[in-house]
Amino acid sequence: MLAQFADGRRIQAASLVAFGVVFPLAFVFSAAAVVLTALRRSVLDGMLVAGLGIAFVGVLLGLAGGGLGSLAGFAAALLLCIAMADVLRRFSSLALTLQAGLALSLVMLAVILLGLEDPAAYWRGMVVQALDQMAAQGSPISDAQRELWMTAVPFNAMSGIVVGMILLMCWGGLFLGRSWQARLVNPGGFRKEFHQLKLGKALAFGSAAVFFADTMVSMDALLNVAAVLIHVWIVQGLSYFHWMVGVSGAGMGWLVLVYGLLIFFWLTGNPLAVTVPVIGIVGEMIDFRRVAGRFLARNKDDKK
């Protein structure tokens, strides 16, 4: 079991960190190992494990003559995970932990927007560089395909999208690490926490105000903040679906369907992709669980 492996020696947790750095798609396991170490031992231990894992990969890249620039991004993401783990450790509140993560991600966004002279031009250059590298490696890219990339990518909002994705991956690592901790000391504890997640009406109405203002005012900074916030409400919306499946006993197949449709809609740019975050933000405004709980109770009474 990965939970027991990561909870063993520091070098074992560090190996999971290194694995996620080498294979970015497995970053959630790196984050989970760091979070579990911070929760079970201390924040300093979490930082040590993260440092050991990144240093190991850095040595390998140095020996292979590879660039070390990408490691800074992984280090920043792991520090975000450690900071959230510290909040969770101190206050035992999943909602407060996610709110702290959001606040730190907005600081990260501000640093990017203020640090880059022209953020949209920067991301445009990154895409051009990636397309040129693909062409140099033998992947033919037609002019039409290149033009499609350059027109389809929302460069003005890329800073917010990237920060939002980092936040989402860090939350995934936080959830996995917290679930590992629960398996070791309190089986089923994280499930209840996630089902009862409430990010708060203040954040819901504040986010709604940002989304509305973004439709009325053309401002890149506002657009990027909205791009980060929409990732927040994906998590809240998914917590409602998990709660509904849990209380209704509908089966895991429904969750697989929800996740599958969500990923498909986001990858294809379908407008229905906003369904889950909309459910998340509206559900927080109307206290979805209370309303749905009454409906489910009424149905049970009718069946009797």
Side-chain angles (χ1 to χ4, degrees), residues 93-110:
S93 170
L94 190 60
L96 183 61
T97 301
L98 299 191
Q99 291 166 0
L102 171 61
L104 290 173
S105 69
L106 292 177
V107 172
M108 186 188 304
L109 175 63

Side-chain angles (χ1 to χ4, degrees), residues 18-159:
F19 179 76
V21 174
V22 175
F23 302 100
L25 291 178
F27 172 79
V28 65
F29 295 104
S30 295
V34 169
V35 167
L36 179 64
T37 302
L39 291 175
R40 293 274 285 165
R41 296 177 181 173
S42 69
V43 171
L44 289 178
D45 277 290
M47 295 179 69
L48 177 61
V49 164
L52 286 174
I54 291 175
F56 177 71
V57 176
V59 170
L60 292 181
L61 287 176
L63 293 174
L68 302 178
S70 61
L71 295 182
F74 283 102
L78 289 176
L79 283 176
L80 176 59
C81 295
I82 292 171
M84 289 191 292
D86 186 38
V87 174
L88 184 58
R89 179 187 176 95
R90 290 173 182 271
F91 300 99
S92 300
S93 170
L94 190 60
L96 183 61
T97 301
L98 299 191
Q99 291 166 0
L102 171 61
L104 290 173
S105 69
L106 292 177
V107 172
M108 186 188 304
L109 175 63
V111 171
I112 293 174
L113 295 179
L114 296 174
L116 297 176
E117 184 176 351
D118 187 345
Y122 171 80
W123 295 114
R124 189 178 293 107
M126 293 288 287
V127 171
V128 170
Q129 182 180 357
L131 293 176
D132 290 342
Q133 288 180 349
M134 291 172 60
Q137 293 173 359
S139 300
I141 300 176
S142 66
D143 291 339
Q145 290 174 321
R146 182 179 289 269
E147 181 65 23
L148 179 62
W149 270 96
M150 300 308 294
T151 55
V153 176
F155 295 110
N156 288 352
M158 275 303 295
S159 298

Side-chain angles (χ1 to χ4, degrees), residues 108-302:
M108 186 188 304
L109 175 63
V111 171
I112 293 174
L113 295 179
L114 296 174
L116 297 176
E117 184 176 351
D118 187 345
Y122 171 80
W123 295 114
R124 189 178 293 107
M126 293 288 287
V127 171
V128 170
Q129 182 180 357
L131 293 176
D132 290 342
Q133 288 180 349
M134 291 172 60
Q137 293 173 359
S139 300
I141 300 176
S142 66
D143 291 339
Q145 290 174 321
R146 182 179 289 269
E147 181 65 23
L148 179 62
W149 270 96
M150 300 308 294
T151 55
V153 176
F155 295 110
N156 288 352
M158 275 303 295
S159 298
I161 292 172
V162 170
V163 171
M165 288 300 297
I166 291 173
L167 180 62
L168 205 58
M169 289 189 296
C170 287
W171 280 353
L174 178 76
F175 293 159
L176 183 59
R178 175 67 185 92
S179 69
W180 284 353
Q181 183 200 28
R183 287 183 187 179
L184 294 170
V185 299
N186 180 27
F190 173 71
R191 181 174 181 269
K192 182 178 180 181
E193 284 179 337
F194 186 60
H195 284 192
Q196 297 301 320
L197 176 64
K198 287 178 65 67
L199 292 177
K201 290 186 178 182
L203 182 57
F205 282 103
S207 299
V210 171
F211 296 146
F212 177 75
D214 183 50
T215 63
M216 304 297 293
V217 180
S218 179
M219 184 184 300
D220 285 352
L222 199 60
L223 176 63
N224 282 280
V225 171
V228 174
L229 288 174
I230 200 167
H231 290 83
V232 174
W233 295 105
I234 288 175
V235 174
Q236 180 68 76
L238 289 174
S239 77
Y240 290 143
F241 281 105
H242 278 261
W243 176 80
M244 282 291 293
V245 169
V247 298
S248 65
M252 292 297 293
W254 286 101
L255 287 178
V256 174
L257 178 62
V258 169
Y259 277 88
L261 289 175
L262 177 62
I263 294 172
F264 174 76
F265 290 149
W266 277 103
L267 291 178
T268 58
N270 192 303
L272 289 176
V274 301
T275 301
V276 172
V278 166
I279 290 175
I281 194 170
V282 173
E284 196 68 7
M285 292 178 177
I286 64 172
D287 197 351
F288 172 80
R289 293 184 186 89
R290 180 174 59 82
V291 174
R294 289 180 177 177
F295 176 78
L296 291 173
R298 188 179 304 154
N299 279 353
K300 288 182 180 179
D301 291 340
D302 291 341

